[in-house]
Amino acid sequence: MGSQSVWGHIDFDAFRQLADPKVDELVAALLTKKGSESIGRLGYNSMLLMADKLIQDPELALVNNSRLSKWLKNMPEEIVDYFDPMEAPDWVDTVKLEQGSKLWQQNSLIILLILYAGSLPACYLMKNGIPALYKTEKLRDHQYIFQRIYETGLMLAACMDNGGIKVAEDAAVQDDALLLQALNMLDAEGQWQQQGHRLIRTAGETGTPANSEKIAEQIELLRGKPKRYLWGKGYITAKKVRFLHASMRFMLTQPDSFKPWGSKEQPQTFAEQLSQVQTPWDSEKLGVPVNQEDLAYTLLTFGLVIPRGLEKWGLPLNLEQKEAFLHLWKVTGYIMGIRPELLTDNWQDAEALFDVIHSRQAAASEEGAILTSALIGFLGDYLPDVPGFAHRLSAAMIISQIGMMNASFLLDNTLIKETRAFWRKPFYTLAGSIFSCSLWLRARFYKRFKHLGWITAHRLNEVSELLIDSWRDAYSRRPFFVPVDASTWVRQPGVDQAYQDRLTRWRRQIFFVVGCSFGLLTLALFGLAAAIPAALMGGWSAAKIALIGAISSWLIALGIMNFRLPAIFNLRPALGEPSD
């Protein structure tokens, strides 16, 4: 079925003028309040901390004298209610949520690379979407963009982690209460009552027989379907992002609500630059900021582009796995306020929707190119410090994920030519083939040796989350906090160039050790795969050599990941430490 026939009834132009009315009203009410810490921007930011605490220790909310309980009672009702669990629609499938999360847990490090090489570049293609949110002058400070990339990684990990988005089912009514209600409905003359642990007929003919089948049917009707609610750290994170989007809309469409500050001619920070912007957003030309079409497309850069990216790099996925992953992000989109008409967990429909919006909005833009350049710089913090290598490898990964035509909208022509030079292209092709083959072999062997696969995947999952977390402690503004006057994108005290250099060296050390471990695991997989051909061609001796090499490589890799990596984790540079 063609994309036009699936989505042809959707008025995408109308969705470009539609945002998130309910949360937009809440933001407008809160951000214009000033004074008390329990209202306005500061009150909301405080609520973010309390929401995190509720996830960690929900029982504290039930303790009358706990600080958390007292604080919640003093907060405005609209802020507290915003983070209440949301009723889950009937279509939410807990089995699919678990399957989607499992794909992340088994491949988190690779998915993180696809986020940087596929999902984010796909977002930067939308000239009237994300790139348009950034005026060219704001993009001079790449560190601000690094903070936004960091927050995207946090959201990815929170939503896809085990139990990140979970369904809590309401408590069932006690059977005795339902039985009493059913008896009084079916036998009104009996005037049934509970006395102790027994149900007694207090009127009418006491010997009247009860129809047990009808009673059972009535109990089931009364019981009904228990309500289900969405909850978890991924739920809280998605709600944070939803509010942050609404705050960005408010600031961009009503800049006169904020007082300019700092130097207009020579602003020292991104905060000063943005506070000087007094021209309202051109909603007629661009659509409202972070509109429904942009949100639907951005959601698909996670739910659709990531499984596609895994397949492009050689990991075999069946339709059930892909649609489970897509279902997880459909639930996330529902939490973030995306209209039901633009949500799907059908793989073909998702591909069609992505193609329709892409054909409407994808184009070259200066902002998109600058954002991609900043992204390549972000990736460079993980890759070896070899002149030009990080940029070319990052460009090669982006090209492999989004294709040459899309990449030409974002990447500098000189960088593309350098990356695809005739003497470099065979190297990238060979490396990509080996990488793809190793992923294919890994999927096959992990099905047979699930315990070893779990140990390896668990350690790599820890690595990926640590790499995401390595960007914290860099800004005064906490992740997902609403900034004052769209600002406070300033470094924390002590975050100087020397500290950033130490963090870069630390990240590269982790990535190098992970690369070595992955290389050894690849050797182990190829060794195991070669054992049978070796036995047929060279006898048992040849097979034994292949097996010994494979097992040795595997054990060394596991040893590195279980002992060497934890030691490096503990060496994370801290603010205030003296330079080396």
Side-chain angles (χ1 to χ4, degrees), residues 273-529:
Q273 290 176 1
L274 192 53
S275 73
Q276 299 296 332
V277 176
Q278 295 296 302
T279 304
W281 177 269
D282 189 350
S283 295
E284 184 176 349
K285 175 183 176 182
L286 302 171
V288 297
V290 201
N291 57 68
Q292 286 290 320
E293 183 183 39
D294 290 341
L295 283 169
Y297 177 86
T298 302
L299 190 77
L300 290 174
T301 64
F302 297 107
L304 179 75
V305 170
I306 287 175
R308 270 183 174 179
L310 290 170
E311 289 186 314
K312 286 178 181 178
W313 280 355
L315 186 69
L317 298 175
N318 57 44
L319 183 62
E320 182 182 4
Q321 289 175 300
K322 292 188 289 188
E323 291 195 336
F325 194 85
L326 192 59
H327 182 80
L328 191 156
W329 284 100
K330 179 183 178 181
V331 176
T332 303
Y334 175 79
I335 295 168
M336 294 179 65
I338 299 178
R339 293 294 294 267
E341 302 96 308
L342 298 176
L343 292 174
T344 180
D345 54 7
N346 177 281
W347 187 256
Q348 289 185 335
D349 290 352
E351 288 186 312
L353 179 59
F354 184 86
D355 291 342
V356 168
I357 301 177
H358 181 275
S359 66
R360 285 170 45 84
Q361 299 296 333
S365 68
E366 183 181 3
E367 291 81 8
I370 296 174
L371 285 165
T372 306
S373 175
L375 177 64
I376 289 175
F378 182 90
L379 285 169
D381 249 34
Y382 299 110
L383 300 173
D385 187 18
V386 178
F389 174 77
H391 280 63
R392 288 192 294 269
L393 181 57
S394 299
M397 289 193 296
I398 291 172
I399 291 170
S400 73
Q401 282 293 313
I402 67 174
M404 176 53 69
M405 186 177 73
N406 287 324
S408 66
F409 292 157
L410 302 174
L411 298 175
D412 181 76
N413 286 333
T414 302
L415 179 58
I416 292 177
K417 290 178 181 178
E418 289 179 356
T419 303
R420 296 178 64 82
F422 75 94
W423 57 275
R424 288 195 183 103
K425 192 173 180 180
F427 167 76
Y428 289 127
T429 302
L430 177 62
S433 298
I434 294 173
F435 183 70
S436 297
C437 187
S438 68
L439 291 182
W440 184 86
L441 286 172
R442 192 191 69 159
R444 294 294 182 273
F445 279 104
Y446 283 6
K447 284 184 179 180
R448 291 181 174 271
F449 306 102
K450 292 183 179 180
H451 183 65
L452 291 175
W454 180 87
I455 293 174
T456 306
H458 177 70
R459 182 57 65 189
L460 290 175
N461 181 263
E462 287 186 351
V463 171
S464 61
E465 293 191 355
L466 186 86
L467 288 174
I468 294 172
D469 190 55
S470 70
W471 287 94
R472 66 175 167 81
D473 293 340
Y475 293 88
S476 297
R477 172 183 165 278
R478 288 177 179 267
F480 309 115
F481 266 36
V482 175
V484 58
D485 298 336
S487 62
T488 58
W489 305 97
V490 293
R491 293 290 190 181
Q492 282 192 1
V495 181
D496 53 16
Q497 190 59 47
Y499 174 74
Q500 294 179 61
D501 290 343
R502 294 203 305 276
L503 273 178
T504 297
R505 289 194 296 270
W506 174 72
R507 291 189 197 102
R508 285 175 176 166
Q509 187 179 11
I510 289 177
F511 215 73
F512 174 76
V513 174
V514 171
C516 291
S517 301
F518 194 87
L520 288 167
L521 289 174
T522 301
L523 285 175
L525 290 171
F526 280 107
L528 288 171

Side-chain angles (χ1 to χ4, degrees), residues 129-157:
I130 290 179
L133 298 175
Y134 302 84
K135 301 299 183 184
T136 303
E137 65 267 26
K138 302 173 194 173
L139 298 178
R140 294 189 190 119
D141 187 0
H142 281 191
Q143 299 303 328
Y144 161 67
I145 303 172
F146 289 0
Q147 167 79 353
R148 300 296 296 123
I149 296 172
Y150 161 56
E151 290 180 339
T152 304
L154 282 179
M155 178 183 171
L156 189 81

